[in-house]
Amino acid sequence: MWILRILSGVVFLTSIILSIPLAFDVGGRTCGLAFSLSLAVFYFTDSILRIATPGDSSRWRHILVRLVGLTQWILVPTLMIWCLNKFAVDADNSGGWVERTFSGKRAGDASVKEWIFGPNGLLETATIGSWDKLLRYSTPVFQLSEGFCSLLVIQAAGQISRWMVNRGRSDSWMIGLLVLSASIISSSVYFLWRVTQFPEIGNVDATLIGATITCAVFLCAWGIGSGKGNPVESSLLFAYIVLCIYQIFTDYQPSFPDTVPPPPPQPDFPPFPPIVMASYSTLVYVLSTLPSTIHAAFNFLTAAFSTITPSVIISLAYRLFVLYASTRIIPAIRESGARALSQEPSLEDSDGAGQVLGFLSYFSPSILVAVYTSLLMQHFASTSLEGTDGEWWTSQGGDAGGNVWRWINVGGTMALYTLELYLGKEDIDGGLTGHWKAD
């Protein structure tokens, strides 16, 4: 059963990761927002049904919840096709319902129904427009939550490493953790050097990077020297600061476009033995004889994966990781100890924080859709601000935002860690590992 759950989760994540950027790329900004809104509403409704159906409810209610969950495999492609057909970029754009009402264009609408339910009508403005504003205003919340959860994970890793060193065989663990910390710092320095090679780095950017790295190095040294931190905690903090800087100044693409090399000359002898070349030719011939449907499906998947931006996927994976890890760490810090790290938070927990996290875990699909769409919008806004490939975003009403909140997140994370070092005390057993046995 657990294998089916893992496969279902992988298929769900793949469908979400592929479909939303494909809707933005093919249908445009309004189409992508409409599709993500429809997905969020569907999974929100499914979460409400699951919350309203406890374990001791009737069999028919459980069957209804399962049927609603199974309809996602049909509903997701149906919603995507409907949004692509309804909100195409080449649709007639005659202004919003407010403009048509107060500028004398109301007579151009065939009926009141078109004014309310038509393109750029009252209903579209109230739903898609509100969803757009909600995602834009939620960007600071998501960004600052990532920084807070990252700091929580970093401190939890520091406490666990301290407990591992103090519980026995300290020399072996200490050497291994020092090697791990050195590897993390070395990798971070390499990516920091990559950032300095980007051609778009200006004087102001260089000043901000220098000040940020100086503060990060000072905080890491303060934490290790005062005994309130350790090398693992400091190396992870430095790596997160470098990750934020890397996300600000790059799209995980080469800084300089690679030139296309000339085709190599035909060798006098084949690169492999004749039997291998014959087998390869046979395989290519067999693949060429496959039905055209398989070729069309392969081309569709290739085109869908080409719409995914690596920076968005990496940011999404990291943000989901720290958010999920925080749902395990917070109950462990409060009262449960190591037991909470292996248990999902639920509404039946005695702790109030566990109940809140368990309640939010029901809405994790909707939160995933909102976080992913927000990252995509932030990426499109950044590319439009740079003037590279994002002119279509601003031409369709998108906001040409910058990376202000990412810088605020970097400063807020370091300020919060500074406060933790100033108010904290040097202790062997922290709030997370104080419940653990050290036999």
Side-chain angles (χ1 to χ4, degrees):
M1 183 60 68
W2 61 272
I3 297 180
L4 295 178
R5 292 184 59 185
I6 292 177
L7 290 177
S8 176
V10 170
V11 173
F12 162 73
L13 286 175
T14 305
S15 62
I16 296 299
I17 290 175
L18 289 179
S19 58
I20 295 181
L22 190 63
F24 275 106
D25 186 70
V26 177
R29 176 176 173 271
T30 304
C31 177
L33 289 173
F35 178 65
S36 65
L37 174 61
S38 59
L39 289 180
V41 170
F42 169 73
Y43 288 115
F44 183 84
T45 305
D46 181 57
S47 302
I48 292 294
L49 289 177
R50 288 191 289 115
I51 291 178
T53 308
D56 55 352
S57 59
S58 63
R59 182 193 303 177
W60 297 106
R61 295 178 64 180
H62 282 284
I63 293 176
L64 176 62
V65 172
R66 286 185 174 275
L67 288 177
V68 172
L70 291 175
T71 55
Q72 66 175 331
W73 309 116
I74 302 176
L75 195 62
V76 170
T78 303
L79 289 174
M80 184 175 180
I81 295 174
W82 179 79
C83 291
L84 290 174
N85 183 48
K86 179 70 175 178
F87 304 99
V89 292
D90 55 351
D92 184 21
N93 186 8
S94 56
W97 69 278
V98 177
E99 180 183 354
R100 297 201 304 270
T101 301
F102 294 99
S103 62
K105 297 182 180 180
R106 170 69 182 81
D109 296 327
S111 61
V112 178
K113 179 180 179 180
E114 182 180 353
W115 178 68
I116 297 177
F117 300 101
N120 296 316
L122 177 61
L123 182 62
E124 179 180 330
T125 304
T127 54
I128 301 178
S130 301
W131 177 246
D132 181 21
K133 290 183 175 60
L134 177 62
L135 291 177
R136 281 191 289 178
Y137 295 150
S138 299
T139 298
V141 178
F142 293 147
Q143 197 72 54
L144 297 179
S145 299
E146 176 192 308
F148 174 77
C149 294
S150 299
L151 188 59
L152 193 64
V153 173
I154 289 170
Q155 291 185 317
Q159 291 189 15
I160 292 174
S161 64
R162 186 183 294 113
W163 175 81
M164 293 169 65
V165 170
N166 294 326
R167 77 183 184 94
R169 296 183 179 179
S170 58
D171 294 338
S172 302
W173 281 115
M174 185 177 299
I175 294 175
L177 292 174
L178 284 176
V179 172
L180 176 63
S181 302
S183 302
I184 294 174
I185 293 178
S186 301
S187 303
S188 303
V189 171
Y190 167 74
F191 285 104
L192 186 62
W193 173 80
R194 285 285 307 275
V195 172
T196 60
Q197 304 301 313
F198 296 151
E200 64 271 10
I201 300 296
N203 294 331
V204 178
D205 298 330
T207 303
L208 289 175
I209 293 175
T212 302
I213 295 301
T214 302
C215 294
V217 172
F218 174 76
L219 286 177
C220 294
W222 182 18
I224 296 175
S226 63
K228 299 176 182 179
N230 53 33
V232 173
E233 188 174 306
S234 299
S235 62
L236 290 177
L237 177 66
F238 184 77
Y240 177 66
I241 299 301
V242 174
L243 174 64
C244 293
I245 295 176
Y246 202 80
Q247 289 176 338
I248 291 173
F249 291 103
T250 184
D251 203 23
Y252 298 105
Q253 302 292 339
S255 302
F256 301 97
D258 297 332
T259 58
V260 179
Q266 186 69 22
D268 297 332
F269 300 96
F272 295 102
I275 185 173
V276 177
M277 297 300 297
S279 302
Y280 173 76
S281 302
T282 304
L283 179 61
V284 171
Y285 174 75
V286 170
L287 293 177
S288 63
T289 58
L290 291 175
S292 58
T293 306
I294 299 180
H295 288 280
F298 178 76
N299 294 332
F300 174 77
L301 289 177
T302 304
F305 276 105
S306 64
T307 61
I308 300 177
T309 305
S311 62
V312 177
I313 296 300
I314 295 176
S315 300
L316 176 67
Y318 177 78
R319 187 168 293 183
L320 291 180
F321 167 73
V322 295
L323 290 177
Y324 178 76
S326 299
T327 61
R328 299 298 188 92
I329 294 172
I330 292 177
I333 292 177
R334 292 180 62 86
E335 63 178 14
S336 301
R339 180 180 60 86
L341 294 177
S342 60
Q343 293 182 354
E344 293 280 353
S346 63
L347 295 176
E348 286 76 19
D349 291 345
S350 59
D351 187 16
Q355 293 178 355
V356 173
L357 294 175
F359 178 78
L360 292 177
S361 64
Y362 278 96
F363 299 93
S364 56
S366 302
I367 297 175
L368 169 64
V369 173
V371 170
Y372 189 34
T373 309
S374 176
L375 286 173
L376 287 172
M377 295 175 63
Q378 193 174 6
H379 162 70
F380 293 143
S382 299
T383 54
S384 64
L385 185 65
E386 295 171 1
T388 54
D389 298 325
E391 291 83 0
W392 67 273
W393 181 256
T394 54
S395 65
Q396 297 179 19
D399 183 23
N403 296 302
V404 178
W405 284 107
R406 284 179 172 172
W407 281 115
I408 294 177
N409 174 46
V410 172
T413 302
M414 290 193 296
L416 190 60
Y417 188 70
T418 303
L419 185 64
E420 177 70 20
L421 291 179
Y422 179 75
L423 299 179
K425 58 181 180 179
E426 181 181 359
D427 56 346
I428 302 278
D429 295 327
L432 177 64
T433 59
H435 306 273
W436 296 7
K437 294 182 179 180
D439 295 336

